[in-house]
Amino acid sequence: MRRILTLLVIATMAVTTGNAQSSSKRQANRPVNVIKQFERIINLYAVKNGETYSMKKHPDTNIIELSERVTNFSISDANDNLNVVRKAFQTDEPTCYQNTHIQPGSNDLISLTVISENDKTSKTVRIRRNRQEEMLMMCCKNAENPRMRDAYAIVWEHHGDTINGTIFQITSLRPDLVGNMIDALRSTFRIEGRVDENIKDSLYNIYIADSYEELNRVADDDYVACVPVVNKRFEYSVELDKPKVGRLRCIFPDGSLCSAGIDLDFVPGETYHITVHNGYYDDDFDYERRVGRNSGKSLITPYRNRIRDTGADDVVITDTADVIPPERKGPSIIWFESLPAAKRVELEAISEQIEASMKIIEQYKKKIGEIMMPEHIGTADTKKKEADKWFIQIYNLHSNQDKKIKKFIRFLADTACPTQDRFNMIKSYIEYLNKEAKELNAFNLSEHSLKNSIKCGKLLTKLSGEYLKIASQWK
């Protein structure tokens, strides 16, 4: 009660001494130019359904203890916009105690520790996720509560004439004030997972052991936790006194347990971000580089995630569910293990770029679908014109993606990747191109006179033919 009364007295004194002066001081301590540019980009270029927001306040004082706003955006002809943002960070530098600018090509992948004082929770937010991104980030004392830190960050990556990026605005407890809390939280390992829209996994069993050999002897029923999938997401955390190995095995909607699993290094104080697809999953490359398979510290036999057919109708996910003796390893596994660490990083970077491009293409296709819906405002002609502007972006993305695929092919050839694996990769990409072309051709039959859509369809057909010729050399 005394603490609440003290806060009320302080608040009353602040009001009686003049709101204008207090407001002016708060304004002086805030990076107003950066905030202004962030709001402008969000208002003009935010991706639909591309923002997440969360906020926590103290129940007694109503003071913010944690606030996170993350917004994805996409801009065409973006150079002028980015120059203004860079200038805003320079102008507001006196308001911050940390200012960081990282150019594309740097190996620094940046994460931010986010701490909430009231419920003593901590997590890691990944800011710069790959080496192709440019990043600007500043950290400032919160004007309302000096124990809090305001972090403002923006990252972006070029895709032809378009840039796609993310804005982070995060208020949390200053890590330098809570060293003891951080020490306690360093024992916690977390998994933050997502599942593909087409995946019907409902639960995940978690298994943990001190060694990989022991993990492979763990019985199906000896799981330490059963984690539900809610809104295509799942989370798990556990306190550990040392690094261990763990396995995730999904439970299908019919209650059956998947016969294979995803094996990970469980490291205290770390968070693994994973997205599960049908038959494969996305690695957390930063994690694997720092403390996982590519770090030299892994407790798991170091080879890449693969797909194993169990004889059932579905394809299940496994990473290293069985320890394969050297004499039984396939050519692709031997090839990957022979790559120097730098080459593995290069391979991961190219793969990340291709995957990011494909995801953006899907976002743009959804945008076109929304435009062409009957309830969308506009006449048939104006909607076609609006949709065609998005098709030129898709065309540019496919053109840029083609360069990355050819770079990927050169990498495989230069590193003596087995011919059959190269053929399978090209075959999969041809199937992807054919699927995209089929969708476009169906659209063009129903909606005439969309110049860029027709142009895009022709490009996909042309590329499919080119890769067929390449694949025929390796079959």
Side-chain angles (χ1 to χ4, degrees), residues 37 40-41 44-45 75-87 154 156 163:
Q37 292 306 318
R40 183 180 62 81
I41 291 175
L44 295 176
Y45 306 110
I75 310 177
S76 301
D77 301 321
N79 287 334
D80 289 342
N81 287 283
L82 299 182
N83 288 333
V84 173
V85 172
R86 293 186 186 102
K87 185 175 180 180
I154 179 171
W156 66 84
I163 70 159

Side-chain angles (χ1 to χ4, degrees), residues 142-199:
N142 180 272
E144 303 284 346
N145 182 356
R147 286 181 57 82
M148 308 297 286
R149 173 193 64 190
D150 294 334
Y152 302 91
I154 179 171
V155 295
W156 66 84
E157 181 179 356
H158 286 268
H159 295 272
D161 294 331
T162 302
I163 70 159
N164 298 286
T166 306
I167 289 172
F168 300 86
Q169 299 178 83
I170 301 174
T171 296
S172 63
L173 200 63
R174 282 170 48 197
D176 59 300
L177 298 180
V178 286
N180 293 335
M181 184 198 302
I182 293 177
D183 289 338
L185 291 167
R186 280 176 181 157
S187 65
T188 302
F189 167 75
R190 291 173 55 87
I191 296 174
E192 294 185 1
R194 298 184 179 186
V195 298
D196 192 286
E197 289 296 327
N198 299 320
I199 299 297

Side-chain angles (χ1 to χ4, degrees), residues 139-297:
C139 295
C140 316
K141 279 187 180 181
N142 180 272
E144 303 284 346
N145 182 356
R147 286 181 57 82
M148 308 297 286
R149 173 193 64 190
D150 294 334
Y152 302 91
I154 179 171
V155 295
W156 66 84
E157 181 179 356
H158 286 268
H159 295 272
D161 294 331
T162 302
I163 70 159
N164 298 286
T166 306
I167 289 172
F168 300 86
Q169 299 178 83
I170 301 174
T171 296
S172 63
L173 200 63
R174 282 170 48 197
D176 59 300
L177 298 180
V178 286
N180 293 335
M181 184 198 302
I182 293 177
D183 289 338
L185 291 167
R186 280 176 181 157
S187 65
T188 302
F189 167 75
R190 291 173 55 87
I191 296 174
E192 294 185 1
R194 298 184 179 186
V195 298
D196 192 286
E197 289 296 327
N198 299 320
I199 299 297
K200 297 182 180 179
D201 299 351
S202 57
L203 298 165
Y204 279 90
N205 279 355
I206 310 291
Y207 303 83
I208 302 178
D210 289 330
S211 69
Y212 196 60
E213 291 76 12
E214 181 182 336
L215 181 67
N216 286 319
R217 294 194 296 268
V218 172
D220 290 353
D221 294 335
D222 289 341
Y223 54 87
V224 298
C226 187
V227 180
V229 177
V230 180
N231 295 327
K232 299 297 180 181
R233 295 174 182 266
F234 62 95
E235 292 187 0
Y236 172 70
S237 63
V238 60
E239 290 189 10
L240 301 174
D241 57 357
K242 63 179 180 179
K244 299 194 177 188
V245 288
R247 178 172 295 157
L248 285 66
R249 292 177 65 183
C250 74
I251 299 177
F252 299 121
D254 63 1
S256 61
L257 178 65
C258 181
S259 59
I262 301 171
D263 295 347
L264 305 174
D265 289 282
F266 282 26
V267 180
E270 296 286 345
T271 299
Y272 197 99
H273 302 84
I274 186 170
T275 301
V276 181
H277 302 281
N278 186 17
Y280 67 102
Y281 66 91
D282 294 339
D283 280 324
D284 187 331
F285 293 124
D286 179 40
Y287 184 100
E288 298 291 9
R289 177 184 62 83
R290 291 185 297 101
V291 295
R293 286 175 180 78
N294 299 330
S295 68
K297 309 171 187 176

Side-chain angles (χ1 to χ4, degrees), residues 82 143 195 310 406 433:
L82 299 182
V195 298
T310 60
K406 286 185 169 63
L433 291 173

Side-chain angles (χ1 to χ4, degrees), residues 8 111 151:
L8 287 173
S111 298

